[in-house]
Amino acid sequence: VLPALSLWIGCSFPIFDFYNLAATLPRVAWLRALGIGMLITGIAIRHVSIRTLGRFFTAHLRVNEGRRLIREGIYKRLRHPSYFGMIFSFLGLPLSFCSLYGLLYMLLIGIPSLLFRINLEERFLVGEFGEEYIAYRKESYKILPFIH
């Protein structure tokens, strides 16, 4: 609940900042385009990761009946591509609104909240899948390439 709440709060910062405060970042087209591109890319990555999981996707830490460890598609190299997509999107949102406050919030509170959730999920998956998940961790990246 904490990561979700912190990210929803973080999504409101850039919009409030853009419409109610003096510019905190230069309001230039290239920065807004970069942010929109990151937002769309992040959403697409998250969509692909959820589609790859199919009926095994859940927002809660639980294993559905008959679930297996998904190691194909986008999950072949990244263990948490859905969270990677979220991080990419949640950095793109404040950039698209040229919001320094929103960007700082995401960097200092939003992303650490997601990392907390990812670590909880890692421990849970080790408990559920045991050695199979431990082996998967050795041959894949947590969120970003070269970061195990």
Side-chain angles (χ1 to χ4, degrees), residues 2-63:
L2 179 62
L5 181 61
S6 70
L7 290 171
W8 280 110
I9 293 169
C11 288
S12 66
F13 269 69
I15 298 166
F16 178 82
D17 181 1
F18 186 81
Y19 289 107
N20 296 295
L21 302 176
T24 55
L25 284 177
R27 293 183 177 169
V28 292
W30 69 265
L31 185 60
R32 297 193 77 194
L34 174 67
I36 291 167
M38 288 177 69
L39 185 61
I40 292 169
T41 301
I43 290 169
I45 291 168
R46 182 158 165 80
H47 175 75
V48 166
S49 66
I50 290 170
R51 294 269 319 218
T52 301
L53 287 177
R55 66 183 178 91
F56 298 124
F57 173 77
T58 177
H60 307 288
L61 291 179
R62 70 172 184 246
V63 174

Side-chain angles (χ1 to χ4, degrees), residues 9 15-16 20 26 35 40 47 57 59 61 84 88 90 93 97 102 105 116 121 130 132 134-135 140 142 148:
I9 293 169
I15 298 166
F16 178 82
N20 296 295
I40 292 169
H47 175 75
F57 173 77
L61 291 179
F84 172 72
F88 215 66
F90 289 133
L93 181 67
F97 281 96
Y105 182 90
F116 174 77
E121 194 167 304
E132 182 183 10
I134 291 169
S140 62
K142 193 177 210 175
H148 289 274

Side-chain angles (χ1 to χ4, degrees), residues 69-108:
L69 185 59
I70 306 295
R71 297 172 73 161
E72 59 266 352
I74 197 166
Y75 287 89
K76 183 174 183 164
R77 304 297 291 154
L78 291 178
R79 292 192 304 276
H80 301 283
S82 179
Y83 293 124
F84 172 72
M86 288 177 75
I87 289 170
F88 215 66
S89 293
F90 289 133
L91 290 175
L93 181 67
L95 291 177
S96 66
F97 281 96
C98 303
S99 170
L100 178 62
Y101 296 135
L103 186 61
L104 289 173
Y105 182 90
M106 287 302 181
L107 289 171
L108 299 174

Side-chain angles (χ1 to χ4, degrees), residues 113-124:
S113 295
L114 271 180
L115 295 175
F116 174 77
R117 167 65 186 222
I118 290 167
N119 289 328
L120 286 176
E121 194 167 304
E122 286 273 313
R123 285 195 297 270
F124 175 78

